[in-house]
Amino acid sequence: MPAVVLIGAQWGDEGKGKATDVLGSRIDYVVKFNGGNNAGHTVVVGDETYALHLLPSGILTPSVVPVIGNGVVVDPGVLFQEIDALTVRGVDCSALLVSASAHLITSYHRTVDKVTERFLGNARIGTTGRGIGPAYADKMSRSGLRVQDLLDEKILTQKIAAALESRNHLLVKVYNRRAITVEEVVDELMGYADRIAPMITDVSLELSGALDRGQTVVFEAGQAMMLDVDHGTYPFVTSSSAIAAGACTGTGVPPTRIDRVVAVIKAYTTRVGEGPFPTELVGGSGEDLRARGHEFGTTTGRPRRTGWYDAVIARYTARVNGVTDFVLTKLDVLTGMETVPVCVAYDVGGVRYDEMPMTQTDVHHATPVYEHLEGWSQDITGVREFEDLPAAAQRYVLALEEMSGSRVSVIGVGPDREQIIVRHDLLEG
Ligand code: GDP
Ligand code: IMO
Ligand code: MG
């Protein structure tokens, strides 16, 4: 019974939520290990559509214990709004565990996120405005507030007072905003203390016990490889470790316990926010792909930028994450195209790059080298066996597999939980 890390291979929104949900009843724990409510996972179950942000997707499966790891930044107001909204719809959230060491997002972080973006002007990142970057900045500068601080109001008050001293200078003198008082932050946070207290857990201890008992644990990433703070398109990234290694730092489970790394990858590419995107389609063809794939953000509703599949990114993801399996989603969206372009390498100033260029300057200047694969026109949304796909769709998948550095084990052919083709069991080697 394995420990499986599930990550996004591109710039997010690959369908990670659905992939976790599909594993559903076979797993015992689903642990979110990075990010916060910047994530948006849409999961379709029959007639019901759920949009999850801070909660792990495993919350939709009654037998799964959902866990929020220490690598996550938690906005407690959002946490309880999400729990309450799901509870009204009949989803039981009572098993949720939250790491004592996860950091907290407060109104201060949300404010700083928005004003820094405004001050950056054209150089803005295009963040989700949820306070993610400022909360991680405080964590790294060792002035953050953690979930465990909610257990001791005196300590919490001291920490808030210390943090606000310098933050208020910044808000008032640099950004022209009003100062935030210690009392308002204490009141905001202590309002959640009694409710969160029973969920607070030593997540490392809990998960190592689960793995010792032979239970199956899925570590679910928010965001994706190319948004990773170290290995993504810095500075146009999120502020956390979205790669597979983040599952270890973000939960306290060691690398030696991880058995499988599953990367979810779309049959084309999308990106929300600013930053380089070599295969981006601008104008009508980009809009066409956006409309076909319903590419609008789950969290902010922003239209997603769209482009073709990028095998340079896929190979980079396979290498940095040690991917054992790809889940290829949204193949159905490409139905009806005569040919489908796939980027096999980059051209940077006349030089061919088969691997991700070392510098961001080169990534910004990369233009795609395309191969044009044959398209298919038959509806594939009802197909459940690989051999029943049109021959050209099979060849498209096999070509991607060959150029992307790992096997394609599952294929998504529609948004519903049931709309998948399984070629290899994700939980088996
Ligand atoms: P996540 O952030 O990686 O969990 O992905 P999102 O939920 O933000 O975006 C993925 C979208 O694609 C969601 O609306 C899913 O319902 C949808 N989706 C997932 N897999 C498939 C698929 O195979 N085909 C189609 N058409 N839609 C899919
Ligand atoms: P899921 O988990 C797509 C992007 C933002 C912005 C950058 C930094 O649904 O795949 P942040 O608010 O994190 O500081 O914003 O990262 N971003 C995402 N894009 N999917 C996500 O999550 C994202 N989470 C953050 O658009 O460009
Ligand atoms: Mg998403």
Side-chain angles (χ1 to χ4, degrees):
M1 284 296 186
V4 181
V5 182
L6 195 135
I7 57 149
Q10 296 150 322
W11 277 287
D13 306 321
E14 297 90 352
K16 299 178 290 292
K18 183 187 160 193
T20 310
D21 179 65
V22 161
L23 286 169
S25 55
R26 299 176 61 202
I27 53 192
D28 300 297
Y29 287 79
V30 173
V31 195
K32 183 178 166 92
F33 63 79
N34 74 304
N37 56 309
N38 47 349
H41 309 299
T42 301
V43 181
V44 182
V45 186
D47 295 335
E48 296 285 318
T49 300
Y50 299 92
L52 303 166
H53 298 283
L54 182 52
L55 293 171
S57 312
I59 200 108
L60 298 176
T61 306
S63 57
V64 165
V65 180
V67 183
I68 292 179
N70 59 275
V72 174
V73 282
V74 177
D75 185 326
V78 172
L79 177 70
F80 291 117
Q81 268 166 28
E82 218 172 310
I83 289 175
D84 291 345
L86 286 174
T87 308
V88 168
R89 295 177 68 183
V91 178
D92 179 10
C93 301
S94 60
L96 179 71
L97 305 177
V98 181
S99 166
S101 302
H103 279 247
L104 294 167
I105 299 178
T106 70
S107 53
Y108 158 74
H109 298 112
R110 291 189 295 270
T111 303
V112 173
D113 195 357
K114 288 181 189 129
V115 292
T116 44
E117 279 283 279
R118 201 171 322 134
F119 269 65
L120 280 169
N122 284 342
R124 70 184 178 277
I125 310 289
T127 73
T128 58
R130 302 297 192 262
I132 305 295
Y136 279 113
D138 279 3
K139 170 177 172 171
M140 288 307 178
S141 71
R142 297 164 293 190
S143 57
L145 306 168
R146 299 196 291 175
V147 166
Q148 60 190 271
D149 297 329
L150 297 174
L151 299 173
D152 187 334
E153 185 170 349
K154 200 167 145 223
I155 297 264
L156 181 76
T157 308
Q158 282 170 8
K159 289 191 173 179
I160 292 172
L164 278 181
E165 207 175 296
S166 59
R167 304 308 186 275
N168 273 334
H169 280 297
L170 186 75
L171 275 181
V172 175
K173 294 192 179 138
V174 180
Y175 293 126
N176 249 334
R177 307 283 297 210
R178 71 171 181 87
I180 295 177
T181 66
V182 175
E183 294 68 43
E184 60 188 286
V185 183
V186 172
D187 288 351
E188 176 194 343
L189 294 179
M190 285 310 292
Y192 304 111
D194 287 346
R195 217 176 150 190
I196 207 169
M199 303 173 184
I200 303 178
T201 303
D202 181 333
V203 165
S204 167
L205 191 60
E206 177 79 24
L207 295 180
S208 77
L211 291 169
D212 288 345
R213 291 190 295 274
Q215 292 184 290
T216 300
V217 180
V218 170
F219 300 81
E220 180 190 77
Q223 295 77 51
M225 169 79 224
M226 300 304 284
L227 288 170
D228 179 85
V229 69
D230 286 282
H231 302 281
T233 45
Y234 192 91
F236 300 100
V237 292
T238 191
S239 300
S240 67
S241 296
I243 59 165
C248 298
T249 52
T251 63
V253 170
T256 44
R257 299 213 77 160
I258 305 295
D259 299 294
R260 322 250 353 127
V261 177
V262 175
V264 186
I265 193 159
K266 252 184 247 201
Y268 50 97
T269 312
T270 63
R271 168 162 212 174
V272 195
E274 308 301 320
F277 180 174
T279 64
E280 181 168 20
L281 291 164
V282 283
S285 39
E287 275 163 34
D288 178 51
L289 190 51
R290 180 178 312 128
R292 287 160 169 267
H294 306 289
E295 296 295 353
F296 294 89
T298 308
T299 299
T300 57
R302 286 179 289 179
R304 294 175 183 151
R305 299 158 64 192
T306 51
W308 300 124
Y309 187 86
D310 185 335
V312 180
I313 289 180
R315 284 195 290 276
Y316 181 50
T317 289
R319 165 159 55 89
V320 174
N321 294 281
V323 173
T324 55
D325 304 79
F326 279 114
V327 172
L328 181 71
T329 58
K330 296 197 134 179
L331 186 64
D332 53 298
V333 173
L334 299 179
T335 299
M337 296 184 51
E338 218 158 286
T339 58
V340 190
V342 170
C343 168
V344 294
Y346 296 151
D347 181 303
V348 184
V351 179
R352 183 184 165 112
Y353 282 74
D354 290 302
E355 297 297 331
M356 188 60 68
M358 185 178 75
T359 69
Q360 277 305 296
T361 305
D362 283 349
V363 176
H364 276 263
H365 294 129
T367 56
V369 176
Y370 282 124
E371 236 173 62
H372 295 267
L373 304 181
E374 181 193 347
W376 60 93
S377 55
Q378 301 93 320
D379 178 14
I380 61 169
T381 55
V383 175
R384 298 292 174 269
E385 298 291 334
F386 185 69
E387 291 68 30
D388 295 336
L389 283 172
Q394 292 187 31
R395 284 196 290 272
Y396 183 78
V397 174
L398 295 176
L400 263 42
E401 184 170 69
E402 152 114 34
M403 59 180 83
S404 302
S406 190
R407 67 186 194 184
V408 173
S409 296
V410 176
I411 300 161
V413 291
D416 199 89
R417 196 184 250 187
E418 313 297 327
Q419 289 179 300
I420 52 162
I421 295 170
V422 180
R423 294 177 72 210
H424 306 285
D425 188 344
L426 291 176
L427 300 184
E428 312 255 325

